[in-house]
Amino acid sequence: MGQKKDLTGSEKSKIVRYLAEGCSSLKIAKLLKRDHRTIKRFIQNSQQGRKKRVEKPRRKITAHELRKVKRAAAKMPLATSLAIFQSCNITGVPKSTRCAILRDMAKVRKAKRRPPLNKTHKLKRQDWAKKYLKTDFSKVLWTDEMRVSLDGPDGWARGWIGKGQRAPVRLRRQQGGGGVLVWAGIIKDELVGPFRVEDGVKLNSQSYCQFLEDTFFKQWYRKKSASFKKNMIFMQDNAPSHASKYSTAWLARKGIKEEKLMTWPPCSPDLNPIENLWSIIKCEIYKEGKQYTSLNSVWEAVVAAARNVDGEQMKTLTESMDGRLLSVLAKKGGYIGR
């Protein structure tokens, strides 16, 4: 048996396995056909503890430098700790110290995603706000769809873990494991739905209208009084399946036309109060990083969470519309940050 220089990764793994099985170093050398000295050297090196890390004296941060860091953090949102300290000409500070300092004056946040607003969009938002400024919003039915996945939004599975405890393991699946499309509406303090779109159905104009017929009209709208139907205003966004000529004509045949069908400005999810309802539901169904194993289980969770939203919460959302319109006008059509 000739003595070789290095052990391969596969051989090292086998040595660990043989040791766990109670084999001696001599027996392992014979099994691997390697020199006994090589095996003993690897075992001895593995059993030696790591060298204790020598802590270098940390650089002290002055009060003046802290003020500079605070100003830089305010001017450079989403910048790294290194970029913030470099902009202040503060060097020699380890990452752990930089993060500890920034943690006292800032928080790690993700950038918010919003559709882009150009000049035309802002003008249309202002025109919309002026048109409906005197509307009785307790008579408006706010509708929208929401997709929920089995895994929930990325980054939501975070939280405090006690010392000595391991973080729970999460399933990793493509596209969040699949999802369910949900439609619902709110009017004053009442929830309409939620209704589940059949799996595999893509909502085009025809399927959207058929969906409304089978759910909204048959299960809710038909039961309402004539006076309620006369005064109700139906709101939907400008998704292609909603705003098409086919859908508009179909709704008109159902009596939802002209002033009974609210016009909607482009790129305006911040103006629809049901978006806030979706946030409440998602926070409930994905709390503590919860995941689901089937589409039916996540749908049942949505239904349960929606039923737990009380009328006062929905009333607060629908009554916020007057304030939203005033905010749109005050910001000249800009986003209102809801």
Side-chain angles (χ1 to χ4, degrees):
M1 283 180 242
Q3 183 179 0
K4 297 181 182 178
K5 290 184 179 179
D6 298 314
L7 291 165
T8 65
S10 174
E11 287 174 326
K12 291 176 182 179
S13 299
K14 288 179 181 178
I15 291 170
V16 174
R17 189 171 71 250
Y18 288 144
L19 286 172
E21 292 173 358
C23 297
S24 65
S25 59
L26 183 60
K27 185 177 180 181
I28 294 171
K30 291 179 179 179
L31 289 170
L32 296 181
K33 297 181 180 180
R34 296 297 300 257
D35 187 83
H36 186 211
R37 291 168 295 175
T38 305
I39 303 298
K40 285 181 70 175
R41 192 183 307 117
F42 170 75
I43 295 172
Q44 288 170 357
N45 291 340
S46 301
Q47 291 174 344
Q48 287 177 358
R50 292 185 179 181
K51 291 182 180 180
K52 189 175 181 181
R53 183 179 175 182
V54 179
E55 289 288 340
K56 296 180 180 179
R58 292 191 174 185
R59 185 189 187 287
K60 291 185 178 180
I61 307 295
T62 65
H64 175 65
E65 288 175 329
L66 281 176
R67 290 194 293 270
K68 288 173 68 176
V69 169
K70 190 172 183 178
R71 287 195 295 268
K75 291 180 181 178
M76 302 168 63
L78 303 181
T80 62
S81 64
L82 180 61
I84 291 172
F85 275 71
Q86 284 180 341
S87 70
C88 302
N89 295 321
I90 303 174
T91 58
V93 182
K95 182 179 179 181
S96 58
T97 305
R98 296 196 306 263
C99 292
I101 291 169
L102 288 171
R103 209 173 286 123
D104 292 333
M105 61 182 71
K107 289 183 179 180
V108 177
R109 299 284 191 187
K110 280 188 176 182
K112 292 183 178 180
R113 295 182 179 182
R114 288 174 174 170
L117 279 182
N118 57 34
K119 187 176 180 180
T120 303
H121 295 157
K122 291 180 180 180
L123 290 173
K124 288 184 177 181
R125 283 164 63 92
Q126 290 180 77
D127 291 341
W128 177 84
K130 291 173 184 176
K131 178 179 179 180
Y132 291 102
L133 198 56
K134 296 182 179 180
T135 301
D136 181 0
F137 290 109
S138 67
K139 294 180 172 59
V140 177
L141 175 66
W142 308 93
T143 72
D144 195 21
E145 294 95 7
M146 167 186 71
R147 180 168 290 279
V148 290
S149 66
L150 299 184
D151 295 344
D154 293 337
W156 278 33
R158 291 187 178 186
W160 294 101
I161 302 293
K163 288 184 178 180
Q165 291 183 324
R166 292 185 177 182
V169 177
R170 281 179 61 82
L171 299 173
R172 186 176 178 181
R173 297 174 284 205
Q174 290 186 347
Q175 298 179 351
V180 173
L181 187 61
V182 181
W183 182 97
I186 51 174
I187 180 168
K188 198 175 180 180
D189 58 355
E190 184 179 356
L191 174 67
V192 182
F195 298 118
R196 177 178 176 177
V197 178
E198 187 178 344
D199 297 341
V201 172
K202 184 177 180 180
L203 281 188
N204 53 30
S205 300
Q206 290 80 7
S207 59
Y208 173 65
C209 294
Q210 186 60 52
F211 171 79
L212 289 181
E213 175 66 33
D214 296 338
T215 55
F216 168 68
F217 282 101
K218 286 185 178 179
Q219 299 183 39
W220 187 81
Y221 189 72
R222 182 180 292 177
K223 300 174 184 178
K224 296 298 178 180
S225 64
S227 60
F228 176 90
K229 294 176 182 177
K230 182 180 179 181
N231 295 318
M232 190 199 80
I233 301 172
F234 186 84
M235 173 272 154
Q236 59 182 2
D237 61 23
N238 294 319
S241 60
H242 301 174
S244 67
K245 291 181 179 179
Y246 180 94
S247 298
T248 305
W250 185 86
L251 286 171
R253 292 196 296 273
K254 292 286 185 178
I256 298 176
K257 56 184 177 180
E258 299 172 352
E259 295 303 316
K260 287 176 60 60
L261 181 62
M262 179 178 279
T263 56
W264 193 248
C267 304
S268 300
D270 56 324
L271 300 180
N272 191 350
I274 201 172
E275 295 289 348
N276 301 91
L277 177 67
W278 294 144
S279 297
I280 293 170
I281 291 174
K282 283 185 175 181
C283 286
E284 178 62 26
I285 66 175
Y286 296 122
K287 65 182 179 182
E288 300 176 1
K290 185 172 177 60
Q291 290 180 291
Y292 297 88
T293 55
S294 69
L295 298 181
N296 286 335
S297 62
V298 72
W299 164 244
E300 289 168 2
V302 169
V303 173
R307 295 287 182 262
N308 287 334
V309 180
D310 58 50
E312 284 301 316
Q313 283 181 287
M314 286 183 280
K315 190 176 180 181
T316 300
L317 294 178
T318 54
E319 287 182 347
S320 69
M321 288 309 302
D322 291 317
R324 296 185 194 223
L325 267 63
L326 293 173
S327 296
V328 169
L329 295 174
K331 294 191 175 184
K332 297 182 179 180
Y335 276 115
I336 61 173
R338 296 267 177 173

